[in-house]
Amino acid sequence: MSSVTISQSRAILAAGLAIVAILATFSPWKPSLEITLGPRGPRWDILYHLGGNGPWIKKIDGIVDGGIDAPEGCMLTLLQRIKDSNITLKGDLEFVNDWQYFSLGGFAIPLAPRWAIPKAQVTNFWASDCNRVIETARYFATGFFGLDWNSTTAKLHVIPETSDLGANTLTPGDTCIKYVEDLRTGHDYGLIQLSKFRSTYLPAISARFQTQNRGIKFTDGEIYSMQEMCGFEILVRGSSPWCNVFNHNDWLNFEYARDVIHYYRAGPGNRFGPAMGWLWLNATANLLAKGPDGGKFFFS
């Protein structure tokens, strides 16, 4: 891979960002401060406080009536624990008694405008070697290129996550050996700092829930997953009752918690962040430097 200097990278990316900023002024997709999907208040918009864990604009198109399968994890475990406790939830969580988790169902897939798809050439797109990422890439291709997409219109390249790839990867967080093996300030540093911050605001929420429901006590992780569900369900259904469970301060804390994990996991707060981020900076700068000759579409 060719390389450009840091100063060239900065100049190229600055120009690219300037173009994006100009185009944004003509975009119809501008968040409205009047949206009140969650806690209601003057100029309050829950979408601005999900820390990238939900949509940035009100979702009115492509809502999945039947729902979709969500990644398995803490939320499923929590729902099973509530069911096994044989209690009827009250107060803020009363809606959970009748709330249905997502189930896989058929749904319409919006196609990209035909003019947006390159003609007479194969469009390449990439995914890391992880089942959920590969499946997401395939669904993306179905939505963008059409139900009948195949290797003659688009080609999916799966990039392994094995350590022998080193810097030639989409997922340096899995291939940077020192980052993975450093248990104090490496891969888990973000989770460590997140846990510390969560302990400053989640116990109060837990106490509130326990006052309303004496028969069950929720852990920090379980309550945090409730906050995550707000954004995820908005993506699927357009709204979520989980958003109303928490007040404005709870959401401001959640927003900051999302900043904390990313800042210390792979951002400026992690000593390995600059080295891993350079891969994306260098690749992007090279593509911008090539201009139209570098290609028209890049999906990763």
Side-chain angles (χ1 to χ4, degrees), residues 126-277:
W126 289 262
S128 61
D129 192 11
C130 173
N131 286 335
R132 65 180 178 84
V133 177
I134 295 172
E135 287 302 307
T136 299
R138 288 172 176 162
Y139 277 118
F140 163 78
T142 301
F144 192 86
F145 299 105
L147 295 171
D148 58 346
W149 78 276
N150 52 54
S151 59
T152 62
T153 55
K155 183 176 182 180
L156 172 61
H157 300 267
V158 178
I159 309 300
E161 297 181 324
T162 53
S163 59
D164 59 291
L165 286 180
N168 187 25
T169 179
L170 294 175
T171 50
D174 291 321
T175 62
C176 179
I177 302 301
K178 291 186 177 181
Y179 174 70
V180 174
E181 294 181 345
D182 188 333
L183 301 181
R184 190 174 66 86
T185 60
H187 182 275
D188 295 335
Y189 194 33
L191 290 174
I192 293 172
Q193 298 300 320
L194 171 65
S195 179
K196 290 179 179 178
F197 178 71
R198 289 194 321 193
S199 67
T200 67
Y201 81 96
L202 291 179
I205 301 175
S206 177
R208 184 174 83 237
F209 290 166
Q210 193 168 24
T211 298
Q212 299 169 351
N213 301 276
R214 296 290 184 182
I216 188 169
K217 181 177 181 180
F218 299 105
T219 66
D220 285 0
E222 289 172 337
I223 297 174
Y224 190 75
S225 71
M226 295 178 192
Q227 291 191 292
E228 290 180 313
M229 183 54 64
C230 165
F232 187 79
E233 189 172 20
I234 290 176
L235 283 169
V236 178
R237 292 173 169 163
S239 63
S240 173
W242 292 101
C243 303
N244 295 309
V245 171
F246 307 95
N247 61 39
H248 289 190
N249 285 333
D250 296 336
W251 284 117
L252 291 175
N253 282 318
F254 177 76
E255 177 184 9
Y256 186 70
R258 296 281 298 171
D259 290 339
V260 167
I261 187 172
H262 292 299
Y263 182 87
Y264 289 105
R265 181 164 62 184
N270 191 296
R271 67 191 185 96
F272 298 98
M276 294 190 296

